[in-house]
Amino acid sequence: MNDDIFDKPSEAEIDKIHEVDLKEKMETFYIDYAMSVIASRALPDVRDGLKPVQRRVLYSMIELNNGPDKPHRKSARIVGDTMGKYHPHGDSSIYGALVNLAQDWSTRYPLVDGHGNFGSIEGDGAAAMRYTEARLQKITQEAYLADLDKDVVDFVPNFDETEKEPSVLPVKIPNLLVNGSEGIAVGMATSIPPHNLGEVIDAVKAYMLNNEITTKELMRYLKGPDFPTGGIVINKDELEDIYETGTGKIKLRGKVEFQKGKAGKTNVVITEIPYTMIGANIAKFLSDVAALSETKKTQDIVDISNQSSKEGIRIVIELRKDADPENFVNMLYKKTRLEDTFGVNMLAIANGRPETMGLKQIIKANVDFQFEVATRKYTNLLAKEQERKEIQEGLIKACNVIDLVIEILRGSKDRAMAKACLVEGKVDGIKFKSKESRIMAAQL
């Protein structure tokens, strides 16, 4: 082929060509992307226990004056404000976070009060955001968003630098332990179980009284996880190691009761389920139980019914009259998700970088954060009071010599002359009733 048919680049065009190492560039871009996902999307901050989208949703709601004492507002309005001002991503991710914060089977202590169809424990999705409404829970306003106006946390520019948003919320409780967190980043994931609020606070108080306290001693107050769906932890002897290292596996079982049925039959009633069973896994559990009968692995099942309601979980399995309930339940533990594993990996953002933390480390980080917030709060309040101090002292002195002040005001030709006398003791041009008044005014 004749090369002359192609136009050769000019010298000016050659100057615009930059040679780059593709491998190096790809590594740099991928690391930047990974760190963005890790620090700005998927992992919670150890201080407030919130991911950026959750923090921005709650801040948008308080900015909209959408507190617990106000009427519910359309979820679409909350999502729109969050997306337009603070979170430049898809509306589905923002609404998903809002819904999750309102579901009492997903979040141990819901932070949002939802009004309308916010889904169900069996995996039904929430209604579209144009139909549902929401407002903040009382605990959210009092323990998560209080004192934001007192400069207790740093505010940073939003994505287009037209607004300011808090880099962290001044949460008064260890939310990372209380509500837990789950998230998948790039090359790492977090899975933190929720805990009972009272037990967590007792553990924090114990740490504050003794900084050298061990994880084993902390567990005298914090017994273990407290999932919103209940369930029973069967490997309690492994919890100490899990809380010490921040990683491990918690084995959960559903809570089972035996009740007398019709004609002497026994009903196996499941009232609590493992946390990992919420959503579509409940339907899978029912189908797995039915499959046990269909595949002849058991002949004991007469009927299965899901009687769950707003009052809670209630799955009833009716057994044959001569069945062994204990043996049947043990088979359920082995063959179905009535016994399941919750993987623990207590990974969070601490000092701007991801870190796997044990129970004591998380509590320490929270106590240090509370100390920082309290210090900033009262330092700022003191500064404001000191600014007012001179004015207050001046008013006190003015009240002590109120008659002289009135005489100066009446004897002055204008406001500037009166101010010069009161502030600097200049008496020139002011008419006084007596020499004593002039001498006293000069001392002001």
Side-chain angles (χ1 to χ4, degrees):
M1 185 180 289
N2 189 354
D3 292 339
D4 293 339
I5 62 173
F6 296 102
D7 293 331
K8 293 182 179 179
S10 64
E11 291 184 6
E13 288 174 325
I14 290 174
D15 290 340
K16 293 179 181 179
I17 297 172
H18 301 282
E19 291 188 5
V20 297
D21 185 336
L22 189 60
K23 178 177 177 291
E24 182 184 326
K25 284 293 179 183
M26 290 294 288
E27 285 178 356
T28 303
F29 294 153
Y30 189 77
I31 289 170
D32 289 345
Y33 161 72
M35 287 308 298
S36 174
V37 173
I38 289 166
S40 305
R41 192 179 303 181
L43 301 184
D45 192 298
V46 70
R47 295 171 294 176
D48 62 5
L50 298 170
K51 299 177 187 179
V53 64
Q54 296 171 326
R55 188 180 303 119
R56 288 162 175 168
V57 165
L58 296 180
Y59 183 63
S60 284
M61 292 179 77
I62 200 67
E63 285 287 282
L64 286 168
N65 197 24
N66 196 16
D69 55 340
K70 300 292 190 297
H72 293 82
R73 302 190 78 156
K74 282 286 183 185
S75 299
R77 173 66 193 277
I78 298 167
V79 171
D81 258 46
T82 306
M83 184 165 57
K85 289 183 176 181
Y86 311 115
H87 198 69
H89 301 284
D91 58 354
S92 59
S93 64
I94 299 171
Y95 185 51
L98 177 68
V99 168
N100 186 262
L101 290 171
Q103 293 176 334
D104 59 5
W105 60 89
S106 294
T107 306
R108 180 64 183 85
Y109 296 94
L111 305 182
V112 171
D113 175 18
H115 187 236
N117 176 15
F118 273 78
S120 74
I121 193 172
E122 295 176 19
D124 301 313
M129 60 185 171
R130 62 183 178 274
Y131 299 121
T132 59
E133 297 176 337
R135 65 182 176 187
L136 293 170
Q137 292 275 15
K138 192 172 183 181
I139 185 177
T140 316
Q141 188 173 50
E142 294 182 357
Y144 287 69
L145 296 162
D147 299 331
L148 268 175
D149 57 337
K150 295 182 174 64
D151 191 31
V152 293
V153 294
D154 293 331
F155 276 73
V156 296
N158 69 337
F159 61 92
D160 61 0
E161 299 187 353
T162 58
E163 302 276 346
K164 292 277 190 179
E165 61 174 314
S167 59
V168 65
L169 292 184
V171 180
K172 296 179 180 178
I173 59 176
N175 182 58
L176 192 65
L177 290 173
V178 170
N179 272 330
S181 185
E182 288 189 50
I184 300 172
V186 177
M188 58 186 69
T190 184
S191 181
I192 304 171
H195 298 82
N196 181 275
L197 176 59
E199 291 182 0
V200 171
I201 298 302
D202 288 342
V204 170
K205 287 162 65 178
Y207 172 80
M208 292 173 71
L209 292 171
N210 176 19
N211 292 349
E212 303 299 321
I213 193 170
T214 64
T215 301
K216 186 175 182 179
E217 290 170 331
L218 282 172
M219 289 185 65
R220 290 170 52 196
Y221 307 95
L222 195 151
K223 309 291 185 184
D226 183 17
F227 294 100
T229 56
I232 300 165
V233 176
I234 60 173
N235 61 332
K236 292 182 180 178
D237 54 330
E238 296 178 25
L239 287 179
E240 183 183 337
D241 185 57
I242 291 172
Y243 284 128
E244 182 70 44
T245 62
T247 59
K249 292 181 179 180
I250 296 175
K251 292 181 180 178
L252 291 169
R253 279 182 179 174
K255 187 176 180 182
V256 177
E257 299 173 357
F258 300 127
Q259 296 179 357
K260 289 184 179 179
K262 297 177 183 177
K265 295 175 183 176
T266 302
N267 289 344
V268 174
V269 182
I270 300 165
T271 55
E272 295 179 9
I273 58 174
Y275 187 60
T276 52
M277 240 174 83
I278 61 174
N281 287 325
I282 294 179
K284 187 177 186 307
F285 169 74
L286 295 171
S287 65
D288 287 346
V289 174
L292 292 174
S293 181
E294 292 169 2
T295 56
K296 308 293 185 181
K297 289 182 179 177
T298 179
Q299 300 291 327
D300 295 338
I301 302 172
V302 175
D303 187 38
I304 312 167
S305 60
N306 186 0
Q307 301 174 12
S308 304
S309 63
K310 290 182 179 179
E311 304 301 319
I313 289 290
R314 183 178 170 83
I315 299 171
V316 181
I317 303 172
E318 187 178 350
L319 302 183
R320 285 169 45 188
K321 191 173 182 179
D322 58 345
D324 182 351
E326 295 281 356
N327 189 46
F328 176 76
V329 169
N330 286 332
M331 184 180 65
L332 290 183
Y333 289 145
K334 290 179 182 177
K335 303 289 186 181
T336 71
R337 298 192 73 166
L338 191 60
E339 180 181 309
D340 209 351
T341 301
F342 181 90
V344 176
N345 185 25
M346 299 204 284
L347 182 72
I349 300 297
N351 299 318
R353 55 194 295 269
E355 186 177 340
T356 301
M357 312 174 79
L359 175 64
K360 184 178 175 181
Q361 289 174 285
I362 293 175
I363 291 176
K364 179 184 183 302
N366 188 262
V367 170
D368 292 345
F369 178 57
Q370 296 305 319
F371 183 80
E372 179 190 339
V373 167
T375 302
R376 285 184 63 163
K377 175 182 176 180
Y378 293 110
T379 300
N380 293 330
L381 290 175
L382 178 62
K384 288 181 180 178
E385 291 303 318
Q386 287 175 334
E387 287 177 7
R388 296 174 56 200
K389 179 182 176 183
E390 186 177 354
I391 297 171
Q392 300 289 349
E393 290 179 347
L395 290 172
I396 291 169
K397 289 182 179 179
C399 289
N400 293 336
V401 288
I402 190 68
D403 292 333
L404 177 62
V405 172
I406 293 170
E407 190 174 339
I408 292 169
L409 293 173
R410 286 177 175 172
S412 301
K413 294 180 180 179
D414 52 35
R415 185 171 182 172
M417 185 180 287
K419 183 178 180 180
C421 181
L422 292 170
V423 176
E424 302 172 24
K426 294 180 179 179
V427 295
D428 297 337
I430 300 176
K431 295 180 180 179
F432 290 95
K433 294 180 180 178
S434 63
K435 289 183 180 180
E436 288 79 4
S437 296
R438 176 180 289 272
I439 294 169
M440 289 174 66
Q443 294 173 352
L444 295 177

